[in-house]
Amino acid sequence: MPEIAARAHLQTLIPVIERALETAATRWEQVDGVAVTKGPGLIGCLLVGVNLAQAIAWARKLPVIGVSHLAAHVFAAQLEEPDVRPPVLGLVVSGGHSDLIRWQEDGSIRVVGRTIDDAAGEAFDKGARILGLPFPGGPAIDALAVQGDPRAVRFPRPRAPGVDFSFSGLKTALLYEVRKRTSISDQARADLAASYQEAIVDALLQRVEAAQAADPAPTIVLGGGVARNRRLRQAAEARLGDKARLVIPAPELCTDNAAMIGAAALIEWERRGPDPAPFDADPSLGFS
Ligand code: KG4
Ligand code: ZN
């Protein structure tokens, strides 16, 4: 509900900023600049943020910089391990994106693979709905899968050309598995959740492995809400841990958060400086 989301931003942004300053025991006089998400996302929400950031910057005579929320999912790695530098191979998996990227030495980010249909987070959310689990589906499947057998059902591994992803066929396969049964026991539901999750995780990591084999990077970063997934984190360590330095930010730094926007601002600031105000939100922004 885009309008409701935009209104919620309007109502919560100022109290959240005040509370953040309070929690960090920081006064406005200590703030050197304002960072904000310029895109991608819902235009109403982005507009509230971009305009508030510019208003604060104007009122307090501070520089302001707008950054990409997608790039921030990669740059969040620096909050975890400050010496992370490009070249980096990154996997950004969220509700709207499944992108394989290369953060290059000149500071730019190049997308080398993307989903041709659903994003990984969408696959979790839609799969959860099919299984009768609550939204958001990722955490629900993650939790239920612990009690299930990932080998109970062998779901097809999505095949898209090259290093791209595809998840819509997998979702349909789950739907058929559910329809095949007249009733589903708790154990069967947990088995389906574990098997479905296993297929998504396998598809994601298989692509990262292929990209790493083709052009090895010293560092691999995982980011975005789906990178909270416990099975993905564990399997990534096992499959990629000896191929590069693997950085998966703490779960709270993987889901959308403001700290990663600050991290992105510091990195971008060094590269291109603040934005000349006024600037606009960009709902279809890529990684820069
Ligand atoms: O990055 P994010 O917080 O917001 C977007 O930019 O979209 O990602 C949200 C997505 C949702 O689809 C949610 O189901 C998924 O991340 N997610 C998870 C887990 N926690 C959140 N997916 C799998 N396992 C999780 N534990
Ligand atoms: Zn996100």
Side-chain angles (χ1 to χ4, degrees):
M1 299 293 264
E3 287 78 14
I4 294 177
R7 189 165 293 269
H9 275 64
L10 207 54
Q11 286 165 341
T12 45
L13 261 186
I14 290 175
V16 164
I17 291 171
E18 281 172 344
R19 208 169 69 211
L21 286 170
E22 203 182 295
T23 311
T26 302
R27 287 172 289 109
W28 275 111
E29 292 70 39
Q30 296 170 278
V31 174
D32 296 317
V34 185
V36 63
T37 303
K38 199 163 62 178
L42 295 171
I43 183 67
C45 301
L46 293 171
L47 278 175
V48 173
V50 160
N51 285 307
L52 178 62
Q54 290 180 81
I56 292 172
W58 179 80
R60 302 217 56 96
K61 300 189 172 46
L62 292 170
V64 58
I65 183 165
V67 298
S68 156
H69 137 237
L70 289 176
H73 276 307
V74 181
F75 297 153
Q78 270 199 0
L79 293 170
E80 204 62 77
E81 300 193 20
D83 63 332
V84 168
R85 294 282 179 279
V88 165
L89 174 65
L91 176 69
V92 176
V93 269
S94 68
H97 287 264
S98 294
D99 293 323
L100 204 52
I101 61 96
R102 289 194 186 270
W103 177 14
Q104 305 176 112
E105 270 163 309
D106 67 1
S108 65
I109 291 182
R110 186 164 57 94
V111 178
V112 293
R114 51 167 53 91
T115 180
I116 58 167
D117 40 54
D118 292 346
E122 224 176 331
F124 272 105
D125 295 336
K126 289 178 177 173
R129 195 187 309 162
I130 294 170
L131 289 170
L133 301 172
F135 182 88
I141 289 183
D142 190 343
L144 185 60
V146 175
Q147 297 152 39
D149 176 3
R151 285 156 308 176
V153 179
R154 171 81 194 174
F155 282 110
R157 281 3 184 199
R159 283 215 198 106
V163 285
D164 284 337
F165 301 103
S166 166
F167 292 107
S168 73
L170 179 60
K171 176 190 64 192
T172 310
L174 176 65
L175 188 64
Y176 285 142
E177 280 297 328
V178 169
R179 283 199 184 143
K180 233 164 58 182
R181 297 164 165 81
T182 44
S183 69
I184 300 182
S185 66
D186 287 348
Q187 188 55 52
R189 182 173 284 110
D191 287 347
L192 284 169
S195 303
Y196 184 72
Q197 172 177 271
E198 196 64 19
I200 296 176
V201 166
D202 191 22
L204 290 172
L205 293 180
Q206 193 263 325
R207 292 310 202 231
V208 180
E209 281 172 340
Q212 178 67 356
D215 183 7
T219 307
I220 298 178
V221 167
L222 263 52
V226 177
R228 287 184 78 108
N229 185 268
R230 283 172 291 173
R231 177 66 189 133
L232 177 62
R233 298 173 79 92
Q234 179 194 43
E237 287 292 348
R239 288 170 64 165
L240 304 169
D242 61 348
K243 297 196 170 74
R245 172 187 182 191
L246 177 65
V247 184
I248 315 175
E252 64 272 24
L253 296 173
C254 287
T255 336
D256 287 351
N257 66 87
M260 71 181 192
I261 302 304
L266 288 177
I267 291 169
E268 289 285 310
W269 195 293
E270 218 165 86
R271 197 161 82 94
R272 62 176 169 90
D275 277 312
F279 64 87
D280 269 336
D282 182 353
S284 53
L285 187 71
F287 279 81
S288 61

